[in-house]
Amino acid sequence: MNRLEDRLRDAFGAAAETVRPDSVGGLQSRPRTSRTRRLAPLTVAAAVALVVVGTSVVASLAAAGGQHARSSSAGAGASSPAASAVPSRAILVVPMVTGMAASQAIATLHAVGLRISTTSDTVSTAQPGTVIIQDPASGTEVPVSAIVTLTISSGPSVTYTLAPSAPSRLVTLPPYAVTIRILRSWQRTRGLGSGVGYSGVSGWVQLQAVTDRAGLHAACTRVAAENVSGYARVPFIDYLRIDGRPGCQILAALVNRRTAIPLISALVEYRSPLSDGANFLLISGDPATMTGIIATIRLHR
Amino acid sequence: MTANGVADSEGTTPAASTAVVPPVESAGELLAELYRMHALGLVRLALLLVGDQGTAEDVVQDVFARLYRAGAGLRDPDKAVPYLRTAVVNGCRSVLRARRRAHLLRVPHEPPVWSAEAAVLAGEDRRAVLAAVTRLPGRQREVLALRYYLGLSDAEIAAALQVSRGTVSSSASRALGALARELREES
C-alpha cells in the first residue's frame, strides 16, 4: 500500500507542477468569461529561493534577472535618472539634500544630473534613512555627472526576529543586475532553536534570527536530505516571521513540498536607504545539518 | 555598528511568540494577500480535479471573485484557507457537472493533463496512476488529491469536503483498494 501511496504522491506532484508558478495570473475582480491565457508577471522569488540551495547562486540569479523583463517589484523609490536630458558640459549647483529622506535625496540629485555614492552611519538621533552628510556641500558648483557622496543614517541598531506564521507575498523582480554577497555562513552545533546572530556588514542590516524550537525540531527530524528539486517554493511560511521593522517582509520560504515543512529559509525584502533598487536578504538554512547562509541580494540598474 | 555575535533563543522566543500579525487594511487587501499566497496551490489542486490548467485557473479566479464581491465577509484569516479549499473543490464539482452536460452536446474541452496527448506530464506510470484516479468516483478522487497532494490530515479533508471523518477514511481506503486492483492489472 505504501508503494501505491508514493506513486500517488509522485503523480499528483508531477501533474501539479505542470502549472508553473509564473503562469498563474493576478487576481481579477471580476469572474473570467473567456479562457484566454493571461500574460502573467513572472514571479522570480521562487527561482531565487530555489537557486540559493544550490551552489550556482550568482549565475542563475543573474540569468533570472536578465530574463524577466517586466518590473513591478516593490523596489522602493526606483528613481529613474534624468541625467541624459542635461547637456554634458554644464556646470551644476549641488542642491541641498541633507536632512531629506535618502530616496528623495537620490531622486533630487538624479533629477539635476548628478551621480550618487552612499555610505551609512549608525546615528540614533537622526531618523533612519535620512541624509546626515552630503559631500560636496550644497551650493558647490560641479560638472554634470559629478558624484555626490551621501552619508545616510541607519538609525539605531534593529533586531529582527523570526517566528511562526509570517505573512508573505510574491514579487516580481525588476530586470536589474544582481549582486549577491554572502555575508555570513553559519554552522550551529549548540542544538536547534539557538539563535543565529549576525552583525551587519557595512551597516545595512543587523539581523538576529531566532527560530521556533519545537517547529525546528520537528522539521529536523523529518526533513530528509533531498536534492534541490525536492523543494519547492510555497508562498506560505510556518515557522518564520520577520517583525519589528516597516518595509521588511518575508517574500518566500523554502518548503519541502512533500512534507510541507519549511526549512529555515526566508527571502526578505527590505527597504534600504543605500540603494534605489530592490534589496533582498536571504536567510537559508538546512535544519538537518544546521548550516546556512545569510546573503544580501541587491538589484541595481 | 554594534557587534552582536550569536544570541541564544532562550531570552527572545517569548517575545517572538507574542508578536502580532500586522493589520491588514481592507478586505480587498486581505484577499489580494490570500491570492498571492495561495493561488498557485489552489490552481494546482483544481488541476488535479478538473484536468486542465485553464479551467483550474477559472475555478480559482471565480472563487476569489465571489469572495471579493461578498466584501467584508472574510474576517478570520485562519479560516480563510480551509474555506478556499472547500470553495475550490465545490467549484471543480460544478465544472465536472457542467462538463457531463456539455459532453452530451459534444463540446470539446482541452485534453486533461493525464491524457496521452498532454505532453506536459512525463512518465507512463504517473499518467497511468492519474488516469486510474480519474476513473474513481468524485469524492474518492477529491480525498486522494487532498491527502496525497496537499498532505492534509483526515480531519482537514473532512472539513474541506464537509463530510464526516469516517466518510473520509472509508472513501480513501476504497479508493486505494480500487487503485491497487486497477494498477496491478495494468502493469
Side-chain angles (χ1 to χ4, degrees):
Chain A
M1 192 58 84
N2 271 337
R3 164 109 178 88
L4 177 58
E5 292 181 324
D6 286 344
R7 283 166 80 186
L8 271 170
R9 284 195 190 96
D10 175 64
F12 281 150
E17 275 183 16
T18 62
V19 180
R20 308 307 313 162
D22 53 17
S23 70
V24 177
L27 178 59
Q28 298 168 347
S29 56
R30 284 188 303 148
R32 296 164 62 202
T33 47
S34 72
R35 212 180 287 159
T36 50
R37 193 156 288 244
R38 278 157 281 131
L39 283 173
L42 294 156
T43 47
V44 187
V48 172
L50 270 177
V51 159
V52 163
V53 179
T55 48
S56 57
V57 178
V58 176
S60 312
L61 266 170
Q67 276 171 8
H68 301 303
R70 290 193 49 178
S71 121
S72 68
S73 155
S79 50
S80 57
S84 53
V86 182
S88 59
R89 286 292 167 93
I91 296 291
L92 296 171
V93 177
V94 177
M96 173 73 172
V97 295
T98 307
M100 280 185 188
S103 56
Q104 197 189 348
I106 289 169
T108 307
L109 295 175
H110 270 156
V112 298
L114 291 164
R115 290 186 296 158
I116 292 131
S117 151
T118 56
T119 173
S120 76
D121 198 0
T122 324
V123 182
S124 51
T125 49
Q127 277 287 321
T130 55
V131 177
I132 321 166
I133 302 164
Q134 67 178 100
D135 176 37
S138 65
T140 312
E141 292 191 346
V142 293
V144 168
S145 296
I147 294 176
V148 177
T149 303
L150 303 177
T151 305
I152 293 161
S153 164
S154 52
S157 54
V158 179
T159 300
Y160 294 84
T161 308
L162 298 189
S165 308
S168 68
R169 70 196 174 89
L170 301 181
V171 285
T172 306
L173 299 188
Y176 291 158
V178 174
T179 52
I180 294 181
R181 286 176 50 182
I182 304 296
L183 294 180
R184 176 159 175 173
S185 59
W186 80 82
Q187 177 148 28
R188 299 288 304 149
T189 50
R190 280 204 292 161
L192 294 172
S194 291
V196 175
Y198 164 66
S199 142
V201 173
S202 71
W204 290 353
V205 282
Q206 182 179 12
L207 179 120
Q208 187 173 67
V210 177
T211 46
D212 173 36
R213 185 185 289 271
L216 265 181
H217 186 70
C220 185
T221 50
R222 284 172 61 191
V223 172
E226 277 185 281
N227 60 18
V228 172
S229 65
Y231 299 103
R233 185 220 15 86
V234 175
F236 189 77
I237 296 167
D238 274 341
Y239 298 135
L240 301 171
R241 172 150 99 208
I242 281 220
D243 281 307
R245 180 154 175 164
C248 189
Q249 211 170 359
I250 290 187
L251 301 174
L254 289 180
V255 174
N256 181 306
R257 114 173 98 74
R258 299 259 152 66
T259 58
I261 295 172
L263 303 181
I264 325 173
S265 294
L267 180 66
V268 179
E269 183 185 17
Y270 64 96
R271 284 195 213 111
S272 166
L274 306 184
S275 149
D276 60 350
N279 295 273
F280 298 87
L281 182 72
L282 184 92
I283 311 150
S284 180
D286 181 354
T289 58
M290 285 310 287
T291 57
I293 58 163
I294 296 175
T296 56
I297 303 168
R298 305 187 69 179
L299 306 169
H300 30 164
R301 291 171 194 281
Chain B
M1 271 283 109
T2 48
N4 227 37
V6 174
D8 204 81
S9 65
E10 308 293 356
T12 35
T13 304
S17 58
T18 54
V20 288
V21 178
V24 178
E25 285 83 63
S26 68
E29 223 164 283
L30 174 63
L31 204 60
E33 188 66 28
L34 279 172
Y35 186 85
R36 279 192 292 268
M37 291 199 292
H38 301 293
L40 177 62
L42 291 170
V43 168
R44 287 175 165 177
L45 171 64
L47 173 83
L48 295 180
L49 298 176
V50 301
D52 68 275
Q53 184 176 349
T55 311
E57 283 181 33
D58 284 351
V59 167
V60 174
Q61 284 284 352
D62 285 351
V63 165
F64 276 93
R66 271 200 305 279
L67 257 182
Y68 186 82
R69 281 199 304 270
L74 194 65
R75 275 281 157 256
D76 187 353
D78 289 343
K79 291 190 184 138
V81 176
Y83 171 82
L84 287 170
R85 255 182 231 137
T86 306
V88 166
V89 169
N90 286 339
C92 291
R93 283 179 190 165
S94 314
V95 165
L96 295 176
R97 255 199 311 276
R99 260 188 205 163
R100 278 196 293 275
R101 284 199 301 273
H103 187 66
L104 302 174
L105 302 170
R106 301 239 186 282
V107 177
H109 57 84
E110 293 170 46
V113 67
W114 46 77
S115 73
E117 302 93 81
V120 282
L121 184 65
E124 270 308 308
D125 183 61
R126 289 166 176 170
R127 215 172 274 146
V129 170
L130 290 171
V133 169
T134 57
R135 287 194 285 273
L136 295 172
R139 181 180 291 152
Q140 294 183 16
R141 220 163 57 206
E142 289 158 9
V143 168
L144 290 184
L146 292 169
R147 193 193 256 187
Y148 296 110
Y149 172 59
L150 288 188
L152 300 185
S153 70
D154 281 7
E156 288 170 308
I157 298 172
L161 299 182
Q162 296 171 318
V163 296
S164 74
R165 274 184 74 165
T167 308
V168 170
S169 50
S170 68
S171 298
S173 65
R174 243 177 255 134
L176 289 174
L179 282 183
R181 277 192 303 281
E182 177 152 357
L183 292 172
R184 197 173 312 117
E185 278 166 19
E186 275 182 12
S187 58

